[in-house]
């Protein structure tokens, strides 16, 4: 129809103009963004760095505790950390316990341990270490080695017996128990009748005892 053709052309013109306007707007936005980027130098905004969390130095021994090096006849020799006030028996237990061939009777299990010390648990048959029971503490030695009077097996207390080489609390108590059950020792060699005392151990202390 003659009247419709001009209307159609008018709509196409308006549509074309609208599309062109949209393209101009998009181009302008792109140009603005590009300009802003150029002015900013392309810098990247990063979050502020988190504070460094480096671990604090840790003492080898626990706070208020002790560190002991346990060697010899124990199941897991090495360094053990123990609470303050621990004793030799605690250090041996922390090292896995005594080995099957440990000479536990030669160790003063009741002695308190000190931070930084080395505790050596002997094996059965090992020679006495310096004439004193292992773990006996400073100044503990046999009467003969220390130049004092020999220990009388029939009158000695447990503490006096523990000054003999390789005689700890357990073995000293066995000597007292034997004396109570059997009466006086007739001769020093009667110590061989006490459970836990063999010929080698007796040879190491016989010069320090009398009856």
């Amino acid at each position: 129809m003659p009247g419709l053709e001009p209307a159609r052309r008018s709509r196409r013109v308006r549509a074309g103009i609208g599309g062109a306007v949209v393209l101009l707007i998009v181009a302008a936005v792109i140009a603005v963004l590009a300009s802003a980027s150029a002015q900013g130098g392309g810098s990247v905004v990063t979050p502020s760095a988190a504070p460094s969390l480096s671990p604090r130095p840790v003492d080898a021994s626990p706070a208020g505790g002790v560190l002991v090096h346990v060697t010899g006849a124990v199941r897991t020799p090495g360094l053990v950390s123990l609470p303050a006030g621990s004793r030799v028996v605690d250090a041996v237990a922390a090292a896995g316990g005594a080995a099957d061939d440990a000479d536990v009777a030669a160790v003063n299990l009741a002695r308190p341990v000190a931070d930084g010390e080395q505790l050596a648990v002997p094996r059965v048959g090992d020679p006495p270490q310096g004439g004193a029971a292992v773990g006996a503490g400073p100044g503990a030695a046999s009467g003969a080695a220390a130049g004092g009077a020999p220990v009388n097996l029939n009158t000695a207390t447990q503490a006096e017996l523990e000054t003999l080489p390789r005689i700890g609390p357990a073995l000293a108590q066995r000597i007292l128990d034997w004396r109570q059950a059997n009466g006086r020792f007739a001769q020093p060699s009667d110590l061989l009748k006490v459970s836990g005392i063999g010929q080698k151990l007796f040879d190491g202390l016989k010069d320090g005892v009398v009856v």
Side-chain angles (χ1 to χ4, degrees):
M1 297 176 63
L4 294 178
E5 186 62 28
R8 290 176 180 172
R9 284 198 299 269
S10 177
R11 285 197 296 270
R12 284 198 296 268
V13 171
R14 287 197 298 271
I17 294 174
V21 171
V22 171
L23 290 175
L24 288 174
I25 293 174
V26 172
V29 170
I30 293 174
V32 170
L33 291 176
S35 176
S37 175
Q39 292 176 359
S43 62
V44 178
V45 178
T46 57
S48 58
S52 175
L53 298 178
S54 57
R56 294 182 304 168
V58 178
D59 293 336
S61 57
V66 295
L67 189 69
V68 179
H69 183 195
V70 184
T71 65
V74 292
R75 299 191 186 279
T76 54
L79 297 174
V80 297
S81 295
L82 302 167
S86 296
R87 298 178 181 270
V88 171
V89 65
D90 301 315
V92 173
D100 294 337
D101 59 346
D103 189 359
V104 180
V107 181
N108 184 355
L109 297 174
R111 179 181 66 80
V113 294
D115 183 43
E117 79 165 273
Q118 184 182 66
L119 174 65
V121 178
R123 302 180 187 278
V124 174
D126 286 350
Q129 299 185 10
V134 176
S142 68
V151 175
N152 190 317
L153 296 176
N154 292 315
T155 60
T157 64
Q158 179 166 344
E160 291 171 335
L161 290 171
E162 288 180 24
T163 65
L164 294 170
R166 300 179 64 186
I167 300 296
L171 203 49
Q173 186 59 53
R174 292 180 196 172
I175 295 173
L176 295 177
D177 292 342
W178 189 95
R179 190 172 73 191
Q180 183 176 1
N182 299 279
R184 294 173 60 84
F185 288 89
Q187 54 192 358
S189 60
D190 284 345
L191 280 174
L192 293 169
K193 300 176 183 178
V194 177
S195 175
I197 298 182
Q199 187 64 49
K200 288 185 178 180
L201 194 154
F202 175 72
D203 288 342
L205 60 80
K206 63 182 180 179
D207 294 333
V209 297
V210 295
V211 295

